[in-house]
Amino acid sequence: MECLNAEIPADGVTKSIETEDIAENVVKADETTLANGEDEAGTPGEEYAYLERNEFTSEIFKVEVKNMGYFGIGEFKKLLRNTLKFDVTKIKAPTRKEFAFVCFRSQEDQQRGLEILNGYKWKGKVLKAHVAKASADPLQKKRAAEDQESEKKPKKQRTAVEATCPLSHIAYDQQLKQKSEEMSALLAKYTQELRKVNPRAKPHLDKFQFHEVLPSPTVNGYRNKNEFTVGKNSAGEVVVGFRLGCYSDGSVEVAEVADLPHLPEQAKWAARSFQDLVRKSKFLPFNPDGNVGHFRQLMVRCSSATGELMLVAGIYSSNLSEDEQAELKEELKSFYEELGKDAPYKCTSLYYQDVKHREAGQTINPVEHISGSTHITDTIQGLQFRISPLAFFQINTEGANVLYQKAIDLVAPTKDTTMLDICCGTGTITLAFAKHCKKVMGVEIVPDAIKDAEFNAEANGIKNAKFFTGNADDFIKSMVREALYDQEPGKPLDLIAVVDPPRAGLHHRSIAAIRSADAINRLVYVSCNPHSAKRNFIELARPESKQYKGEPFYPKSAVAVDMFPHTMHTELVILFEREPKTKADEKSAPAEGAAQSKSEATEEAASEENTASVT
């Protein structure tokens, strides 16, 4: 699956804030003082006004658990969710030592949690539980601190260019040089760590090569997807653009995007036109300081191949009646229909997205088609791809051509090769490999993405592709069995896997599933965040153990592609291969496995909070 919002800081800071998000952001800053017994909720005021809103926040159903000793956040989550069957919204443990905070969905759940956890014996400790006070709103907390330090010189606010394109002031060849040095240093650190974890990796690491960072064919205006925030600038004017900071840092200022080099003119026009609409409308821009207003965000997708432009208007509807929502939808439709007559660009696909607090179990905010076509189409590797509003698609289309070709070149598939695409998204990598392989299979947890993938295969006349909807962990073995079933008797199976996971990398269960699938002999790992993926690289190459069964995958070669010019981010592609098991390996594996199991369990539990399940 292509990485979502993983390439530039702008996408991170444009994330909308809800009442529950406010509490999420402040827990980190405040829970340590709570653990030390400070009554930070003792002073009423604006810092706790969010608790009085007619909206859900689990901060009012928070419990502090003490006397825990040292623990892993992963094992604590399993205790709460699997063993005790608690329905919790958040679990926070800033030090993973002695205490943690647990937020429940209701007072009834909170009371049950208190009764069970207080006095519960776990890991040789008797737990203590009591009601915890809610955390302060970070924005209001910062403002209060600023009022107390009014004589302090104000901190210079970043510009939109500084926040989203920190390398734009550097010549592009120097950007590539800087990124090459960074990737070389990261891989050197990785190989050094792997030598300690698995001494048998040494001969492979001695041959491991990092080639270079390849340039993007398009340096400016390359982003085909952008998520803009509706807010106000420092002068108080309504703006559609990028947030200059995070809510948890006390910042809600939004800056215009006209000067950003990585945005195409279509996207800039979309932001300006939506800004005009919001300024004229009777409906208000959303303000996270109080959760008031309606216009919250705008997602823009554009195609360099067809010129199509998709707009998804994110509306905060909690304070709107059904009639008002209908009126707002009609306003959106009429505005862009009228605008299309004389404007330099045309909105070819318009959606309404209800962006408010998600219900339990809800993973996305629903979208509703308003006008125009339901999809846009773009081209990678000479193939046409239909893209729906919420589908994953590489941000840099021209860069994706280079990226996918390098992945193909590294693994060198033949007409006897079967390829498994784990996290396949809309099938872009799967279908790019199809003409080079006997058969390709992809798995993806998002049903709409699989519908797009199947449509794309049929539209491009590709007959050797098959897609599955579900969690990759559950489908890896079944896909391997299907590949073995299709193989001619007596003929060796050439089975390769490609993974392109979210920014946080693969969950360790996915790595374990890949390791245990002995038929997979080569693996291409495409990472949009190599710093986070380094943990996966180590897990792939660890010695065989109880947790990671199957021979290790050793790194053979790597290449990076600059998918995100002007930013600090780079896409890294690494080819891993297994070494055939020998009799000597079989004898030593059990002893090595026993030595590794305890340390692996501790590391995995500690990293659980920062991993992403396969999607």
Side-chain angles (χ1 to χ4, degrees):
M1 179 181 73
E2 288 82 359
C3 184
L4 177 64
N5 292 348
E7 55 285 339
I8 68 168
D11 284 343
V13 299
T14 57
K15 181 183 176 185
S16 52
I17 303 295
E18 301 178 11
T19 303
E20 186 64 28
D21 297 329
I22 293 172
E24 178 76 23
N25 285 326
V26 299
V27 166
K28 296 177 183 177
D30 292 337
E31 53 200 3
T32 301
T33 58
L34 281 171
N36 292 333
E38 296 180 24
D39 187 359
E40 53 88 26
T43 305
E46 291 300 319
E47 296 177 33
Y48 302 94
Y50 76 95
L51 298 174
E52 304 301 324
R53 298 173 194 156
N54 188 26
E55 296 173 346
F56 173 79
T57 170
S58 60
E59 278 295 301
I60 60 178
F61 307 124
K62 186 161 70 173
V63 169
E64 182 179 6
V65 183
K66 292 185 174 182
N67 196 39
M68 299 177 66
Y70 181 82
F71 62 95
I73 189 65
E75 59 182 345
F76 188 48
K77 284 182 178 180
K78 288 177 182 176
L79 169 69
L80 296 176
R81 290 176 173 157
N82 299 344
T83 305
L84 301 180
K85 307 297 182 183
F86 287 158
D87 184 13
V88 299
T89 60
K90 293 197 297 284
I91 302 168
K92 290 293 178 182
T95 64
R96 298 192 181 94
K97 186 178 180 182
E98 294 301 337
F99 72 97
F101 292 89
V102 183
C103 293
F104 295 87
R105 293 192 180 276
S106 67
Q107 186 174 4
E108 182 181 354
D109 290 341
Q110 181 193 40
Q111 187 60 36
R112 176 173 172 263
L114 285 169
E115 292 173 355
I116 294 177
L117 288 171
N118 194 36
Y120 188 88
K121 293 183 179 179
W122 184 57
K123 295 180 64 176
K125 298 279 187 177
V126 178
L127 304 183
K128 297 179 181 179
H130 64 84
V131 174
K133 293 182 173 65
S135 301
D137 182 330
L139 179 64
Q140 299 298 340
K141 193 172 182 180
K142 182 179 180 182
R143 287 177 177 173
E146 288 174 348
D147 289 341
Q148 293 175 2
E149 301 178 19
S150 57
E151 296 182 1
K152 187 177 180 180
K153 292 183 179 180
K155 184 179 179 181
K156 182 181 179 294
Q157 180 65 278
R158 294 188 301 174
T159 65
V161 174
E162 291 169 338
T164 62
C165 303
L167 300 184
S168 60
H169 66 288
I170 303 175
Y172 188 55
D173 59 341
Q174 290 301 307
Q175 292 184 33
L176 293 175
K177 181 180 178 182
Q178 179 175 324
K179 291 184 178 185
S180 290
E181 291 172 352
E182 181 184 0
M183 284 298 101
S184 296
L186 183 144
L187 290 170
K189 187 176 180 180
Y190 155 60
T191 53
Q192 182 180 11
E193 184 176 345
L194 182 55
R195 289 175 191 272
K196 297 177 182 177
V197 172
N198 188 353
R200 294 191 176 190
K202 185 179 183 303
H204 303 279
L205 297 178
D206 290 342
K207 300 175 184 178
F208 175 60
Q209 289 185 325
F210 170 60
H211 297 287
E212 58 183 330
V213 176
L214 298 173
S216 169
T218 304
V219 177
N220 295 319
Y222 59 84
R223 287 184 60 87
N224 58 41
K225 178 189 174 186
N226 295 279
E227 294 185 18
F228 301 119
T229 295
V230 181
K232 292 186 178 181
N233 60 18
S234 57
E237 300 170 317
V238 174
V239 169
V240 176
F242 284 141
R243 287 270 295 274
L244 296 180
C246 299
Y247 188 95
S248 58
D249 294 330
S251 172
V252 293
E253 185 179 336
V254 178
E256 293 189 64
V257 297
D259 297 329
L260 300 183
H262 63 331
L263 302 190
E265 290 304 315
Q266 271 182 302
K268 294 178 181 179
W269 174 84
R272 286 196 305 271
S273 66
F274 197 68
Q275 179 174 287
D276 291 340
L277 167 63
V278 176
R279 288 180 175 181
K280 294 175 183 177
S281 176
K282 78 171 190 179
F283 297 101
L284 303 174
F286 177 76
N287 184 355
D289 182 10
N291 276 13
V292 295
H294 316 103
F295 289 105
R296 190 162 185 174
Q297 62 192 45
L298 176 71
M299 181 172 71
V300 179
R301 308 195 80 147
C302 46
S303 168
S304 58
T306 64
E308 293 170 299
L309 179 64
M310 176 186 287
L311 305 183
V312 182
I315 307 299
Y316 182 74
S317 66
S318 292
N319 47 19
L320 291 174
S321 67
E322 290 187 7
D323 289 343
E324 287 174 324
Q325 290 185 56
E327 181 184 352
L328 199 156
K329 292 173 187 177
E330 184 58 36
E331 181 179 4
L332 286 166
K333 181 180 178 181
S334 300
F335 179 83
Y336 280 104
E337 285 178 349
E338 289 296 321
L339 198 63
K341 297 176 182 178
D342 302 314
Y345 302 100
K346 180 181 180 182
C347 171
T348 60
S349 177
L350 182 62
Y351 278 85
Y352 172 99
Q353 186 173 31
D354 194 1
V355 184
K356 59 182 180 181
H357 180 68
R358 296 173 186 169
E359 302 296 332
Q362 184 181 349
T363 57
I364 60 173
N365 292 304
V367 295
E368 177 185 339
H369 181 244
I370 295 179
S371 65
S373 59
T374 56
H375 298 76
I376 63 173
T377 303
D378 215 332
T379 304
I380 295 179
Q381 288 280 310
L383 303 172
Q384 288 192 334
F385 292 94
R386 184 181 78 170
I387 307 168
S388 56
L390 303 180
F392 298 104
F393 195 78
Q394 285 287 358
I395 288 293
N396 183 340
T397 308
E398 292 300 320
N401 278 314
V402 177
L403 180 72
Y404 293 172
Q405 188 57 53
K406 281 301 168 183
I408 293 169
D409 294 343
L410 278 179
V411 75
T414 69
K415 292 299 181 180
D416 294 323
T417 300
T418 298
M419 177 266 209
L420 310 181
D421 187 0
I422 301 165
C423 310
C424 70
T426 56
T428 50
I429 294 180
T430 323
L431 301 181
F433 268 79
K435 65 181 178 182
H436 304 280
C437 301
K438 179 180 73 174
K439 184 175 182 177
V440 292
M441 291 182 277
V443 60
E444 167 63 51
I445 200 170
V446 181
D448 284 348
I450 289 297
K451 290 178 183 177
D452 283 346
E454 291 172 339
F455 177 90
N456 292 332
E458 184 175 353
N460 288 284
I462 295 174
K463 306 296 184 183
N464 63 334
K466 187 173 182 179
F467 295 96
F468 302 87
T469 304
N471 192 306
D473 302 351
D474 303 325
F475 278 87
I476 290 173
K477 288 184 178 180
S478 61
M479 289 193 296
V480 170
R481 282 196 297 268
E482 182 163 333
L484 290 167
Y485 181 80
D486 291 342
Q487 190 66 14
E488 296 178 25
K491 194 171 186 179
L493 175 65
D494 182 23
L495 183 63
I496 63 174
V498 177
V499 295
D500 184 7
R503 186 173 186 177
L506 289 174
H507 194 282
H508 66 81
R509 287 193 300 268
S510 302
I511 297 293
I514 294 170
R515 286 277 303 256
S516 64
D518 292 333
I520 301 175
N521 48 46
R522 285 174 292 163
L523 172 75
V524 175
Y525 195 119
V526 182
S527 173
C528 59
N529 188 349
H531 292 278
S532 295
K534 186 167 71 72
R535 173 183 52 81
N536 282 169
F537 302 160
I538 294 292
E539 291 167 340
L540 284 167
R542 280 186 178 279
E544 186 173 7
S545 65
K546 182 179 179 181
Q547 178 66 32
Y548 296 107
K549 298 176 182 179
E551 283 299 290
F553 283 92
Y554 295 117
K556 294 296 180 182
S557 59
V559 64
V561 179
D562 185 21
M563 295 286 287
F564 321 110
H566 307 309
T567 79
M568 301 295 293
H569 301 278
T570 311
E571 198 101 359
L572 180 65
V573 185
I574 300 183
L575 171 65
F576 292 87
E577 290 186 4
R578 289 196 207 253
E579 185 179 63
K581 183 182 288 188
T582 64
K583 291 184 178 180
D585 293 334
E586 292 175 355
K587 291 179 180 179
S588 61
E592 290 181 349
Q596 290 291 330
S597 295
K598 185 174 181 180
S599 62
E600 286 173 7
T602 302
E603 291 174 15
E604 283 151 14
S607 66
E608 182 93 17
E609 186 176 22
N610 299 317
T611 61
S613 295
V614 174
T615 56

